[in-house]
Amino acid sequence: MVVSMVANADTAPGIDAALTNLVPWQGPVAPRAHLHTDAPTLDLSGTWRFQLVDSPFDAPEGFFDPGFDDTDFVNLAVPSMWQMTDPAGEAPFGRPAYLNVNYPIPVPASDEDIVVPNENPTGCYRHTFQVSETFTNADRVLLRFEGVDSFARVWLNGVELGWTKGSRLTSEFDVTAQLRPGRNVLAVAVSQWSDGTFLEDQDMWRMSGIFRKVTLLARPQGGIDDLFVHASWEDGAAKITIDGPDGATVAIPELGVTTTCNTEVTVPDAQPWTAETPRLYDTTVSTGSETVSLRIGFRTVAIDGDVIIVNGHKVVFRGVNRHEWDPHTGRTLDEETMRADLELMKRHGVNAIRTSHYPPDARFLDLCDEYGVWVLLECDLETHGFEWGGWDGNPTGDDRWYDCLLNRVQRTVERDKNHPSIIGWSMGNESHCGEGIRLMNDWVKHRDPSRFTHYEGDHAHTISDVWTVMYPRMEWVEAVRDRTVMPGAEPVPQTGRELGLPFFMCEFAHAMGNGPGELADYEERCFDPHFHRDRMHGGFIWEWIDHGIDTGRGYAYGGDFGEVLHDRNFVCDGLVMPDRTPSPGLLEFTATMGAVRIEVDGSRLRAGDGITVINRLDFADLSDLEFVWQLVDDGKVTDEGVLDIGALPAHQSWTGSVPVPDEISDRMVVVVEARLVEDTIWAQAGHVVTRASGLLIPEPLPRPCPPASSHPRRDGSGWVLGPARFDRRGRLVELGGNGIVTPVLDLFRALIDNDRASSLARNNIGGSALAAGLDRLVHTTVSVREEGDDLVVVTRSAAAAARDSMTTTWSWQAVQVDEGSEGIHLDLHVEPHGHWPAMLGRIGVTMGLPDEWSTVSWFGLGPTENYPDSQHAATWGRWNSDVASLQTPYVMPQENGLRQGVHELTITGPDGGLHVAADGGWPAFAVRPWTSKALFSADHTWDLEPDGHTWLTLDALSAPLGSTSCGPMPIMSHRLYARPVDLSLTLSLI
Ligand code: IPT
């Protein structure tokens, strides 16, 4: 065993010795399940005394002695992460640092001892508590730490108990000999860096402290230290055996079961547990001295050929990767927040969680059992930063580390082994692969053969029970599905064994910023939407929540705290915003990947098959839902009813229709909503599980307005045509006497995260866009001429130094919009010249309107923002909003707020405003109180200030979202390259 020299330094005896000795812990008792017991427990959470020093060498001499004078210490809440104390203000205990792959400390080479910096922030904690004789008379007393990041050395009443590593893993010290009746003083020295740091290179904020609960547990003689529940469901029969103390009584009152530990019994009439029907049975296990309460779910996980089955049925994961996060407390979560996560997930159709990349707070798994989700429980392990050195010295392939690896996975499995929600164990994330992973996997398979094992980095496919990948191209996944040759550029090692394994994407659809797009495509091509019972098991979106830190004026991300190295906003890549507001991406997830799918084709209603409801659940029927339809004419409900689909069984679909009036218009919509019939624990009756809509006339109708009598008229400053005034260059500058910033061709969008290059992005869409000068086009009037009733203006748009250009022909004509009032009609034609290699952000026009015009009403897709590859969550209809509410405040400002399918739009103020009617095609629109360029330049939401205009963009074509920030390029059919487009609009004044 290699022991670092620094670790042996005696400057601060007792504090630093074990930091880097590659021994996982010393002192704790064997890992065991967290059990709910009637034996006394004492929650030690609360206000502790605390002092942060720069290095373990600087710990105050003897600070762990009960008599130490800690008046110099300050108060700190336990649990908490010390860097989350006023991080954007005084930050008395240092600030958070965000890193993805890079280690925050120097990395050892394979031929070196393991060392960590002497500058190693160390928190000295003291806590005085009282115990009654209940504890001091107990047979044994344990002190449990559920999470300390990253190294803790522990003393009780001045006596050292030992030390532990493994930040998200439980450690229990036996304190029987040290505990005194009355006053006790607990002291803990927590160091930020240890050899554990090299095993904890997860993509997240690097922060420290006693961040999960600390509890004192009295252990009675003859008590129940550990249990292992085996509750199965096979061929309709439930069976249970609980490994535990011989003779302990097991009782499941609801099922009339009374038995003893270590005896298998068959349980008649039990319902199985599934994520869809999370049936739990309250169970007690008792000895004379202790009763433990369990909530048992009967279920059997198996792999049948290359299919994962639970209770005999294939399951598909509509999952998310979940880090623990709160914008105020970091990775310290209260139960309310954990419940909020599960309620949001259940409401939005998420059925599975990968606990990336560590075991969550233990209470969360009780809640997973209760709410019903499939859990892939991951060990606290990631060594990604070794990749930059070619994985030289990587712990999973270096036997010096194997004890630490085994210790981690043993603590993971032992703590959580009794949860029915956990169906698979994951060894960790991004740690390359070596014998260490095999040892972990072997241990898990031996200890718990009832679940599958997972490790994505097992690229030779000799270890894991499943084959998983991250961020694949869809074509590639289809090849996996179809068992054909893997397409071109991304060859995978095909060792053979993987071809017989179940398959899922443990990460896909990177939800960073505006996105992910293409979810409907992933669902259709990479899941198993047609129930083939094949190897396709869906996947887990990366990731659940943006890890933004609340600064009081907005959310901070990497680099905002002066970090030496950081990865910017890569930490804000979730389906919910830092405050858990659902993002448009989560709504799209629900509409496309949620298990209840509604499809509406308004043009097929008369034919009787315009509505399809698909139950993509794997077990349950849809009797808990009512399918309400409404016929809506330009915002007014004209008819409604309930679809009679009965209790649609799992994997079945229903097709039918609703009555359609004789006269229909292109503003008529049928909307179908699936609503909960009764309250559940995750939502109330009436909650809309999903919704879909369709236009009765799904194609644009030409709506020509009669020409007005006005012709273009020249005056000294340009032209006048109906309500419009043009300058001498033919630029529209006034409408009905209101000055406007002339409309120009717009090809640019404020780059979204998926456009931007990063260390993990496989593209530089945005780099090409900026190189092409999309954000700095120069618009030149080439000609202005009167052509009959039309004023025809030709402009050429190109960037400095660029040759590629767009020629835009603007044909303006005065038209009659209402009796006595004139509007102006624009026929726009855009024609590219040159090569235009870059993908474009849009092909549209942008103009500046008076800022008092800030109330918006439109007929089109809404109310949520929508993009070409993310539009299933949007509903056709009439929507009203104001400009401010149409902005989506992504943590890092970027293009947002687009709404497509615009038939008609008004933007009004107190004294009138603008009406835009689309004829011939439906543009998309965005309105903003700032320009796209300002949006692009802003680093944070607080950098954005309204600039005195309401900027209106109307896109003939808009770019997709994709998820290229850490995924493949958008599929070819979604990409927007230069091409000729037409747009027809009528502008009039209100
Ligand atoms: C992948 C990581 O597993 C995950 O933790 C996160 O960092 C994600 O990337 C990006 O947000 S690894 C990558 C090499 C695809």
Side-chain angles (χ1 to χ4, degrees), residues 346-387:
K346 293 294 285 187
R347 283 180 202 158
H348 289 92
V350 173
N351 77 351
I353 297 171
R354 173 177 176 227
T355 68
S356 54
H357 304 295
Y358 45 80
D361 187 302
R363 290 169 292 172
F364 184 70
L365 295 161
D366 290 334
L367 298 176
C368 290
D369 294 345
E370 183 182 334
Y371 282 82
V373 280
W374 308 117
V375 176
L376 176 58
L377 199 286
E378 194 148 274
C379 182
D380 191 356
L381 176 64
E382 173 155 345
T383 69
H384 208 163
F386 280 88
E387 184 171 11

Side-chain angles (χ1 to χ4, degrees), residues 313-564:
H313 295 260
K314 175 183 165 180
V315 291
V316 172
F317 305 127
R318 306 167 181 285
V320 295
N321 281 275
R322 175 182 180 270
H323 266 282
E324 294 185 308
W325 188 249
D326 176 276
H328 304 107
T329 58
R331 283 187 291 280
T332 298
L333 297 194
D334 57 20
E335 189 178 321
E336 201 186 328
T337 309
M338 297 179 215
R339 282 189 184 271
D341 272 351
L342 285 165
E343 281 165 20
L344 278 165
M345 288 179 192
K346 293 294 285 187
R347 283 180 202 158
H348 289 92
V350 173
N351 77 351
I353 297 171
R354 173 177 176 227
T355 68
S356 54
H357 304 295
Y358 45 80
D361 187 302
R363 290 169 292 172
F364 184 70
L365 295 161
D366 290 334
L367 298 176
C368 290
D369 294 345
E370 183 182 334
Y371 282 82
V373 280
W374 308 117
V375 176
L376 176 58
L377 199 286
E378 194 148 274
C379 182
D380 191 356
L381 176 64
E382 173 155 345
T383 69
H384 208 163
F386 280 88
E387 184 171 11
W388 300 152
W391 298 106
D392 177 59
N394 181 45
T396 65
D398 178 341
D399 60 9
R400 295 179 298 169
W401 293 88
Y402 293 171
D403 284 350
C404 298
L405 301 180
L406 277 171
N407 169 276
R408 280 171 186 255
V409 84
Q410 288 165 358
R411 288 157 75 188
T412 299
V413 171
E414 294 298 355
R415 190 194 76 169
D416 294 333
K417 57 188 180 280
N418 295 325
H419 291 284
S421 54
I422 299 176
I423 53 161
W425 300 111
S426 174
M427 302 309 120
N429 185 59
E430 290 289 2
S431 302
H432 202 50
C433 200
E435 198 50 30
I437 297 284
R438 185 185 302 281
L439 290 170
M440 294 168 82
N441 192 83
D442 286 351
W443 184 87
V444 175
K445 290 305 288 183
H446 179 252
R447 177 65 176 142
D448 181 18
S450 76
R451 293 166 169 112
F452 66 82
T453 59
H454 168 267
Y455 179 63
E456 184 273 341
D458 171 27
H459 291 159
H461 308 294
T462 60
I463 299 173
S464 292
D465 291 337
V466 294
W467 179 15
T468 72
V469 297
M470 294 178 179
Y471 311 103
R473 288 195 293 139
M474 283 181 227
E475 299 83 348
W476 188 93
V477 179
E478 285 175 312
V480 172
R481 180 192 68 196
D482 300 341
R483 296 161 188 279
T484 52
V485 179
M486 302 297 169
E490 286 169 72
V492 283
Q494 295 207 321
T495 58
R497 180 172 168 267
E498 78 278 19
L499 300 175
L501 298 178
F503 177 87
F504 59 87
M505 298 175 285
C506 66
E507 294 179 27
F508 79 108
H510 198 245
M512 186 177 182
N514 192 348
E518 303 191 330
L519 292 183
D521 305 276
Y522 277 108
E523 160 78 21
E524 179 59 29
R525 297 170 66 176
C526 307
F527 282 52
D528 177 16
H530 308 295
F531 314 118
H532 294 304
R533 206 177 193 269
D534 56 19
R535 57 158 58 165
M536 308 304 284
H537 287 278
F540 297 78
I541 301 250
W542 186 269
E543 68 176 303
W544 173 241
I545 186 167
D546 285 344
H547 313 203
I549 293 180
D550 193 355
T551 66
R553 55 178 185 154
Y555 294 107
Y557 51 76
D560 286 336
F561 299 113
E563 299 105 296
V564 180

Side-chain angles (χ1 to χ4, degrees), residues 725-734 742-744 781 793:
R725 172 179 291 281
F726 298 81
D727 69 8
R728 291 176 181 176
R729 290 160 58 186
R731 299 183 304 180
L732 176 66
V733 289
E734 213 179 278
T742 189
V744 292
T781 301
V793 182

Side-chain angles (χ1 to χ4, degrees), residues 101-123:
V101 179
N102 276 318
Y103 279 106
I105 57 175
V107 186
S110 56
D111 57 355
E112 287 181 307
D113 288 347
I114 308 305
V115 294
V116 295
N118 297 156
E119 289 74 30
N120 186 358
T122 295

